Amino acid sequence: MQINSTINDELKTFDVAPNETLLHALRANGYFGVKHGCENGECGACAVLIDGVPMNSCVMLAAQAEGKQITTIESLGHIAEQGWKHTDGLHLIQQAFVDVGALQCGYCTPAMILAAKALLEQTLAPTEDQVRDALSGVLCRCTGYVKPVQAVLLAAERIRGGAEEPRGKGGQAIPITLPTDYPTTELSNYPTSNLQLLTSTLPTMVVAPAVPETRVVGKPEKKVDAVKLVQGKPAFTDDIELRGMLYAKVLHSPVAHARIKHIDASKARTLEGVHAVLTFKDIPRVVYSTAGQSDPIPGPLDSFSLDSKVRFVGDRVAFVAAESEEIAERALELIEVEYKELPAIIDPRDAMKAGAPIIHDEPEYVNFANVADPSKNIAAHIDIELGSVAEGFKQADHIFEDEYIVSKVQQTHIEPHVVITYWDEDDRLVIRTSTQVPFHARRILAPVLGLPPKRIRVIKPRIGGGFGGKQEVLIEDIAAHLTIATGRPVRFEYTREEEFIAARSRHPMRIRVKTGVTKEGKIVANEMDALSDTGAYGCHALTVTGNTGQKCMNLYNAPNIKFHAHVVYTNTPPSGAYRGYGVPQGFFPLEVQIEKIARTLGFDPIEFRLKNAVKAGDELPMSKAWNEGRPPHPETIETCGLGECVARGAQMIGWKRNLESPISNLYDQRLEIRDWRLVEGKPHLRRGQGVACVMQGTGIPYLDMGGASIKINDDGSFNLLVGATDLGTGSDTVLAQLAAEILGCPIDDIIVYSSDTDFTPFDKGAYASSTTYISGGAVAKAAEQVAGQIRQVAARMLNDRRPQTADGERSAVGGQPSAVAPDQIVLRDRCAFAPDGRFATLQEVALESLHHKNQQQIMAVASYVSSKSPPPFAAQYAQVLVDTETGQITVEKLVMAVDSGVIVNPATASGQIEGGMTQALGYAVCEEMLYDARGDSVIRQLGDYKIFAADEMPELQTIFVETFEPSHPFGLKAVAEIPLDGVAPAVANAVYDAVGIWMREIPMTPERVWRVMRGK
Ligand code: FES
Ligand code: FES
């Protein structure tokens, strides 16, 4: 049928099928700014304005748009300078999103901007609550909504005409609200606005006098990809159409554990429009691991593209490629499969029992370092002991022991896994995919596809969030097998349901912690024992669970430490990498245990922590014993701002226990505290505060490698090519800042490209909080080499420009400038300066070297591997209200004070903390993947799996305590994962503070809290 609609003020007529959604019709007609993350009306990424009202286009038939006015992001502003043509520039809302840094991956951004537009057409003076309400229909997994809310308020202010221009060197206005007692001397460099918001980003606070003066590093520069993302440009994997594209679908197993007795795809193959159906009989049987890790992968090889055995509900049975998704789905129904069901293991406690069914009995199974025992369903085991905990417990005056349970949760990036594959004109297989690990993907896929790596090219466009979920080589093989089978381009994307039943998740664990303490408050023995559930495949099994012990047990410097873990197979969807990578699982039990010890023995919880925590100069205890399954490298802590973090965080949240130290049960009798705990008119509510201290690592020492190349262009700009993958974190921006700092130019002169295995240098990819540190090290090295070449050319130019004497010599006599040596040249302000002030512009240097004399391409490539993994530290605070009748926890406020070394970009870094705390909040109170007794997923849609919306958020505050990490040229440490670590224990400790119960299981749902309160 034909419909007529006005799209972005243009009358359009297009053909649609009667059952076609508006989302599909818009994207099919090139409106790629309309994104999608669920296709059942729950994520809001597909929102467009219909007659000025935000509507989810995925739940609306295209036919319903007949005669309507449709507004997509493409109708808003565009970049102003377009050669000889100029536009009015970005819309003020788009500009505010750019200025405030209100986007990370940018996948939800078009819908957010449209929602904001609809609001500001109703009112130009919205309250923060109104903004949050307007944005609440668009889920964002990256930002924590802090900056999007600020951006909308700023846009409103600018549209009203009341806004001052953005201030600060980065041109960014960051509205902040300050407590009255915050030391204002530390705020001098921070732009402020009159906006009063619940949410704020606090200034960087420098505690290391060694932080050098910088011009670009340390400034809240705008994200290099922000302008394209606020315009909804076709930047993501799925934003292209290829001629002859086929659409793939996967038949998933309906049973948890079975052998395929019989499979017949003949009917499916004869369906018109079907081009290929593949079963395990049709493709080579190659064992591999889907974990996107360096070679050799530190885990078992236990997966096949397709196998004759299925190991969880959702496992792969067959692949189909057809002319459309609908035909492919019909073909799935025609595949006949007979299963011989086997007993299944759903509860990990059953996995190692005698007589348990064996999940991996395939002869091709490859063990890594002998840590697996598939005959006992063990994917990995870890045993580390420093000193002797048995001896330590003998010395202890008090021993505490408890078991804790942490749940299985999902990354829930709004852009699903998506890939497009095709043969290029040289018969090389191109894989355009939303991946965090393009180079690992090429290496891992080559044997699976029967191609050498040189015949595979992996292109990573923008990524709509990953959080570890895209550190998996999860679906690329499906499309690639089908392209090999058909010779045609193939697109495959997980539906949201497939994300829940067949993607990866965070390992759920049962963790027992036993701690021995002297009466003086010294921890003398600390033991952790974990049972970790890797699901049906052992991807990341060893390394995630190893991190649980290694990173967490590093924090308290006990003389006797033990970590023991079994990572077991079950017939449930596989676990894998999820931001934090094992560490959030460990800090929940550890930090609740520490709080309990302090409270029980009458120590101030903060003093008790700091007394036992590691400090600068200490050896990281676990570094002597473990390194992701590879040889350990003892490491000393160079910088630790934990004490300052604790102090600043306490000050910011208004830490009540500071009023009386050490704590006593009497202090609640003080009137002001009692009043603070209560809510007027709501006697069933109790308020409490909690704290947790946490640490992480920064990359994997002696293993993680990043590469970068930089070359100069005629105008003095630079191309920076990196293999690192910006999945929304802002890494392209901070890498450009590092290059700009060294090359003496603004960030605008650095053109960043990431990543393509044909063109960019190798990088291990985005994981382990390593990009800024490792890939940034490579960028700094390459930039230093390029700067050296520029100095050589500039010195020669400046010397050549001196007047000549009669015999042709250039002389310093007679007041002429003396010869300048290259190492005297300073690069700044797009120029190369001699000490006497003479200069050549970078453009002149580029033209000289490319066209005029001693021609050479000024360029360099460098790589960086670290011998260290310097730990960032943080103090996480939470303030909660507990409903004593229902068990409902309302988190009112989260404050995180972080030592991540030098902060390259406070806007992107604080965005990481805000978004990370929000994910961690879901882990603490509501997110959980649940299965029935057959191993079938109870959670299949976003609506079943609660992630926070803009109008449900607590107040978020971030403080940076800067130290200068000497192992890195810019003194930086990681920031991306640490905000995942402390929220759950801080909330649990706040619940104890409020109502006196210890929560030992997350998420702390109302039912669980109610049961513990009632002693059930
Ligand atoms: S609400 Fe339409 S794709 Fe999610
Ligand atoms: S920026 Fe919102 S989903 Fe990534």
Side-chain angles (χ1 to χ4, degrees):
M1 60 192 290
Q2 272 198 339
I3 64 162
N4 301 295
S5 301
T6 304
I7 305 182
N8 302 335
D9 295 330
E10 268 185 74
L11 191 59
K12 295 267 182 179
T13 302
F14 43 91
D15 294 321
V16 298
N19 61 349
E20 188 170 353
T21 63
L22 180 60
L23 166 68
H24 190 270
L26 288 170
R27 287 185 62 84
N29 283 278
Y31 297 96
F32 288 119
V34 189
K35 307 300 183 195
H36 56 112
C38 69
E39 308 206 10
N40 66 350
E42 293 177 329
C43 75
C46 64
V48 296
L49 302 184
I50 306 285
D51 294 338
V53 178
M55 307 276 278
N56 289 333
S57 60
C58 69
V59 286
M60 191 172 163
L61 291 174
Q64 292 174 288
E66 171 69 29
K68 305 281 188 199
Q69 298 266 354
I70 302 172
T71 306
T72 72
I73 192 74
E74 284 87 355
S75 71
L76 273 73
H78 301 281
I79 190 165
E81 295 83 24
Q82 300 186 347
W84 49 263
K85 181 179 150 189
H86 289 255
T87 74
D88 291 339
L90 296 177
H91 188 284
L92 284 173
I93 302 173
Q94 292 171 308
Q95 190 62 51
F97 269 66
V98 173
D99 292 342
V100 173
L103 63 157
Q104 289 186 28
C105 77
Y107 197 76
C108 68
T109 305
M112 281 218 183
I113 289 173
L114 290 173
K117 184 171 187 291
L119 171 71
L120 299 189
E121 276 164 11
Q122 299 294 316
T123 171
L124 277 179
T127 63
E128 180 171 353
D129 281 349
Q130 285 175 310
V131 174
R132 287 183 176 277
D133 190 43
L135 298 184
S136 65
V138 184
L139 293 177
C140 176
R141 193 58 161 167
C142 301
T143 61
Y145 307 100
V146 174
K147 291 179 173 62
V149 170
Q150 292 172 343
V152 179
L153 289 167
L154 183 63
E157 201 174 73
R158 285 176 175 172
I159 294 169
R160 289 198 306 269
E164 297 174 24
E165 283 306 300
R167 288 154 288 177
K169 288 182 185 167
Q172 185 197 36
I174 299 179
I176 57 175
T177 306
L178 298 170
T180 49
D181 60 344
Y182 203 85
T184 51
T185 51
E186 289 159 2
L187 304 175
S188 52
N189 286 333
Y190 242 70
T192 60
S193 144
N194 294 328
L195 296 172
Q196 296 293 305
L197 301 175
L198 272 179
T199 50
S200 69
T201 303
L202 285 170
T204 298
M205 195 196 62
V206 177
V207 296
V211 176
E213 265 297 300
T214 49
R215 289 181 295 270
V216 188
V217 166
K219 306 296 183 288
E221 298 279 0
K222 292 168 194 159
K223 269 167 68 83
V224 295
D225 50 358
V227 170
K228 75 174 158 217
L229 294 174
V230 297
Q231 295 176 84
K233 292 272 170 131
F236 295 89
T237 298
D238 195 33
D239 294 346
I240 60 166
E241 276 287 335
L242 294 177
R243 195 172 303 144
M245 184 108 88
L246 299 176
Y247 299 85
K249 285 284 170 188
V250 171
L251 182 66
H252 296 282
S253 170
V255 292
H257 197 194
R259 291 199 187 281
I260 298 175
K261 263 173 71 180
H262 176 71
I263 185 162
D264 182 356
S266 53
K267 286 188 191 143
R269 287 188 176 116
T270 56
L271 185 69
E272 193 177 339
V274 171
H275 287 255
V277 181
L278 300 177
T279 71
F280 71 90
K281 296 175 181 171
D282 302 305
I283 57 175
R285 185 177 166 82
V286 179
V287 72
Y288 73 113
S289 169
T290 58
Q293 295 182 279
S294 293
D295 181 67
I297 290 173
L301 308 189
D302 58 6
S303 301
F304 303 88
S305 274
L306 287 168
D307 195 3
S308 56
K309 190 180 187 192
V310 289
R311 297 177 180 83
F312 66 98
V313 177
D315 209 350
R316 302 150 159 213
V317 176
F319 308 150
V320 172
E323 299 281 347
S324 70
E325 290 185 279
E326 294 70 31
I327 296 172
E329 267 163 14
R330 265 188 276 141
L332 295 183
E333 291 165 14
L334 297 175
I335 300 172
E336 293 167 6
V337 192
E338 200 181 328
Y339 298 97
K340 179 179 185 307
E341 276 205 61
L342 302 168
I345 303 167
I346 308 303
D347 187 329
R349 289 172 294 185
D350 297 334
M352 292 187 289
K353 285 182 180 164
I358 298 171
I359 296 174
H360 283 279
D361 51 4
E362 64 275 9
E364 297 92 342
Y365 189 98
V366 178
N367 205 334
F368 173 81
N370 236 11
V371 297
D373 184 350
S375 70
K376 295 189 175 129
N377 293 314
I378 297 170
H381 80 270
I382 302 159
D383 241 325
I384 305 166
E385 184 157 11
L386 300 165
S388 163
V389 286
E391 286 303 312
F393 288 128
K394 282 185 200 161
Q395 295 160 20
D397 298 307
H398 307 277
I399 293 175
F400 293 79
E401 185 169 6
D402 265 310
E403 187 178 76
Y404 301 83
I405 301 172
V406 293
S407 65
K408 182 163 175 151
V409 290
Q410 213 199 37
Q411 299 87 347
T412 330
H413 28 78
I414 303 300
E415 180 204 43
H417 288 85
V418 57
V419 60
I420 293 171
T421 54
Y422 54 93
W423 289 113
D424 72 7
E425 62 278 19
D426 293 317
D427 290 317
R428 296 175 73 236
L429 186 73
V430 181
I431 302 176
R432 178 181 162 96
T433 179
S434 182
T435 180
Q436 295 173 225
V437 286
F439 287 89
H440 291 338
R442 181 178 62 170
R443 189 188 88 250
I444 290 167
L445 288 168
V448 175
L449 302 176
L451 287 168
K454 67 183 178 186
R455 287 191 60 198
I456 298 175
R457 174 181 172 195
V458 178
I459 300 172
K460 174 223 64 92
R462 302 315 302 168
I463 306 176
F467 317 117
K470 293 174 182 171
Q471 197 195 332
E472 207 72 9
V473 186
L474 188 66
I475 62 167
E476 288 84 353
D477 62 313
I478 298 170
H481 282 305
L482 290 167
T483 285
I484 290 172
T486 62
R488 299 263 296 260
V490 173
R491 169 193 179 275
F492 181 60
E493 182 176 43
Y494 263 180
T495 62
R496 186 55 60 183
E497 182 176 23
E498 285 176 307
E499 289 289 341
F500 282 115
I501 66 166
R504 303 297 186 246
S505 54
R506 181 177 285 157
H507 290 70
M509 298 186 195
R510 287 177 172 267
I511 298 177
R512 190 179 55 78
V513 184
K514 184 175 176 185
T515 310
V517 194
T518 65
K519 57 182 183 302
E520 292 81 24
K522 182 77 190 131
I523 299 173
V524 287
N526 209 8
E527 181 179 358
M528 187 180 271
D529 192 339
L531 178 65
S532 174
D533 180 358
T534 192
Y537 297 98
C539 23
H540 302 270
L542 172 71
T543 43
V544 160
T545 309
N547 260 358
T548 304
Q550 189 209 21
K551 298 283 192 300
C552 302
M553 300 296 269
N554 263 337
L555 183 58
Y556 296 110
N557 209 354
N560 305 292
I561 300 175
K562 185 172 178 185
F563 178 67
H564 177 255
H566 279 112
V567 191
V568 295
Y569 289 114
T570 59
N571 293 108
T572 57
S575 308
Y578 180 7
R579 190 177 181 186
Y581 207 76
V583 184
Q585 290 99 312
F587 270 123
F588 173 67
L590 184 64
E591 280 299 281
V592 174
Q593 175 102 339
I594 292 290
E595 182 80 10
K596 187 175 179 187
I597 295 169
R599 294 275 197 153
T600 307
L601 300 182
F603 300 124
D604 179 278
I606 288 177
E607 287 172 13
F608 178 64
R609 283 181 169 85
L610 292 179
K611 178 174 181 167
N612 286 286
V614 288
K615 302 168 188 62
D618 288 352
E619 195 170 58
L620 276 170
M622 299 292 274
S623 69
K624 290 177 284 201
W626 208 77
N627 177 30
E628 304 240 335
R630 294 176 161 90
H633 297 282
E635 182 173 341
T636 299
I637 301 168
E638 302 276 0
T639 53
C640 175
L642 184 60
E644 281 292 342
C645 289
V646 165
R648 293 299 170 166
Q651 189 180 8
M652 174 50 57
I653 201 161
W655 188 239
K656 294 295 177 274
R657 272 176 251 138
N658 275 353
L659 296 174
E660 191 158 309
S661 181
I663 276 179
S664 84
N665 289 332
L666 298 176
Y667 84 109
D668 260 8
Q669 292 171 13
R670 292 166 59 131
L671 195 57
E672 61 185 295
I673 300 300
R674 199 172 61 230
D675 285 352
W676 173 80
R677 287 198 180 282
L678 301 175
V679 178
E680 202 179 332
K682 296 186 178 171
H684 54 292
L685 299 181
R686 289 286 181 284
R687 184 173 278 118
Q689 290 181 333
V691 64
C693 290
V694 292
M695 63 188 287
Q696 262 281 354
T698 304
I700 308 168
Y702 294 98
L703 179 69
D704 280 350
M705 196 277 268
S709 83
I710 302 176
K711 75 173 172 65
I712 200 167
N713 298 312
D714 298 69
D715 59 353
S717 66
F718 300 90
N719 291 107
L720 167 61
L721 305 186
V722 288
T725 50
D726 185 339
L727 48 149
T729 53
S731 67
D732 281 359
T733 306
V734 298
L735 297 180
Q737 285 180 262
L738 300 180
E741 184 71 43
I742 293 168
L743 295 167
C745 65
I747 187 176
D748 290 353
D749 288 356
I750 307 288
I751 307 150
V752 190
Y753 183 69
S754 71
S755 23
D756 179 328
T757 54
D758 267 15
F759 299 124
T760 56
F762 174 87
D763 191 288
K764 83 284 164 232
Y767 56 85
S769 290
S770 62
T771 302
T772 309
Y773 184 80
I774 300 284
S775 311
V779 170
K781 274 173 78 176
E784 286 293 359
Q785 290 175 34
V786 168
Q789 295 171 34
I790 291 171
R791 289 190 189 99
Q792 292 278 354
V793 176
R796 197 182 67 227
M797 289 171 69
L798 294 176
N799 290 335
D800 284 353
R801 285 178 189 172
R802 290 177 305 150
Q804 292 183 345
T805 59
D807 59 2
E809 291 294 312
R810 296 180 196 277
S811 167
V813 297
Q816 297 300 332
S818 56
V820 60
D823 61 5
Q824 293 176 294
I825 299 271
V826 172
L827 304 185
R828 63 179 157 81
D829 302 332
R830 292 187 169 125
C831 294
F833 282 95
D836 58 10
R838 288 176 301 142
F839 65 91
T841 65
L842 294 184
Q843 183 175 24
E844 289 170 333
V845 170
L847 291 171
E848 176 83 356
S849 66
L850 293 171
H851 301 278
H852 301 159
K853 192 171 179 186
N854 295 347
Q855 285 100 317
Q856 63 165 116
Q857 170 68 64
I858 291 178
M859 69 178 298
V861 58
S863 47
Y864 189 83
V865 181
S866 177
S867 59
K868 305 249 179 192
S869 176
F873 294 90
Q876 175 72 61
Y877 289 86
Q879 182 170 304
V880 305
L881 269 182
V882 182
D883 187 322
T884 56
E885 291 175 356
T886 65
Q888 173 75 42
I889 299 170
T890 304
V891 177
E892 296 186 307
K893 200 188 285 190
L894 292 174
V895 172
M896 189 168 206
V898 192
D899 161 22
S900 285
V902 168
I903 298 298
V904 180
N905 186 321
T908 59
S910 57
Q912 290 286 293
I913 301 295
E914 291 150 5
M917 280 197 285
T918 305
Q919 290 180 10
L921 181 60
Y923 190 46
V925 300
C926 57
E927 292 183 33
E928 185 170 25
M929 298 175 76
L930 297 167
Y931 302 91
D932 65 17
R934 295 180 54 254
D936 203 356
S937 181
V938 173
I939 308 291
R940 287 174 174 262
Q941 302 298 343
L942 279 172
D944 305 330
Y945 182 82
K946 181 69 201 147
I947 69 173
F948 276 79
D951 59 345
E952 301 164 327
M953 290 297 301
E955 179 182 346
L956 301 179
Q957 308 274 9
T958 302
I959 304 166
F960 289 120
V961 171
E962 275 198 336
T963 56
F964 190 90
E965 166 57 39
S967 66
H968 193 273
F970 282 98
L972 50 92
K973 300 191 277 190
V975 73
E977 290 182 292
I978 197 165
L980 276 289
D981 296 342
V983 174
V987 169
N989 295 339
V991 169
Y992 177 81
D993 189 52
V995 293
I997 58 164
W998 291 111
M999 291 303 299
R1000 297 190 188 87
E1001 183 171 3
I1002 52 172
M1004 290 170 268
T1005 58
E1007 182 181 340
R1008 286 194 179 118
V1009 174
W1010 184 89
R1011 284 185 183 281
V1012 177
M1013 281 194 297
R1014 297 291 183 279
K1016 294 181 191 297

